[in-house]
Amino acid sequence: MDDTRGVDGTGGTDGGAPAVGTLLGSQVDGVSCGPAVLVVTAALTGSGWPGALAGRFAAAQRTAHRQANRVWPRALGTTPWGMRAWLRRHAPAAGPFRVRPATAAVLRRVPGSGPVPLLVGSRFLPRHWVLVTGAGADGTWSVYEPGSGRVRPLHPRLLRAGDDDAVARVLRWPRAWCVLLP
């Protein structure tokens, strides 16, 4: 069963972002990390899916996946442009998003931008969506990783330093490819 503490306002930090360790709910299958991030982004920004999502989280992911991938095959995941279009249509309170490459300058803007979807992958392919939900006073990001369903800590200096093993332990994949900045 999906535990959604934090999505409905409990278990979060003072700023409304869920605390590290919070279980928000796992992706429903091996290609629904993007839709899980979309649903959690909508919930955290007050755009929809209010209240506890238990029992509805899997259905919400499947719906978001169909809506975000109108042409792109769902078996290949969700494109950054499909994510952006879904957020524009279904999570207006999150703000309009722009697809940006994960450069050092762009990554520095992430902590103050609200929930920020981040596409990570191998050195050669983008593979997995995660969601930066906030940052602590020391700069450590709180990142929702939908494979585990948990919010995990990641210091962005690990991305800049190219510490692939440390990043992969948190995000499942070592390299940042792009972000959706509001």
Side-chain angles (χ1 to χ4, degrees):
M1 178 174 173
D2 291 322
D3 182 348
T4 56
R5 288 171 293 171
V7 172
D8 64 357
T10 61
T13 61
D14 293 337
V20 168
T22 300
L23 182 62
L24 296 178
S26 299
Q27 64 188 69
V28 70
D29 58 37
V31 294
S32 62
C33 54
V37 164
L38 292 172
V39 172
V40 170
T41 301
L44 292 176
T45 61
S47 292
W49 313 103
L53 295 175
R56 296 190 305 154
F57 192 53
Q61 288 178 60
R62 288 185 184 99
T63 299
H65 210 175
R66 278 192 307 277
Q67 293 169 336
N69 286 348
R70 295 180 186 263
V71 178
W72 188 255
R74 275 181 256 162
L76 296 178
T78 310
T79 68
W81 302 274
M83 298 276 289
R84 181 187 65 193
W86 190 94
L87 287 165
R88 190 169 283 149
R89 284 191 309 269
H90 300 285
F97 283 86
R98 293 163 300 180
V99 177
R100 296 288 183 246
T103 64
V106 169
L107 292 174
R108 279 193 294 276
R109 295 174 47 198
V110 167
S113 299
V116 174
L118 172 65
L119 181 59
V120 296
S122 71
R123 182 176 180 190
F124 303 105
L125 289 172
R127 301 296 304 226
H128 187 56
W129 285 101
V130 298
L131 182 67
V132 179
T133 61
D138 66 350
T140 299
W141 292 353
S142 298
V143 181
Y144 165 61
E145 193 287 300
S148 68
R150 292 205 179 272
V151 176
R152 297 175 167 184
L154 176 73
H155 202 286
R157 80 172 163 269
L158 296 173
L159 290 168
R160 291 190 301 270
D163 191 341
D164 291 357
D165 291 338
V167 173
R169 279 193 296 276
V170 177
L171 304 181
R172 290 191 162 189
W173 293 92
R175 301 281 175 99
W177 277 76
C178 76
V179 297
L180 297 181
L181 279 179

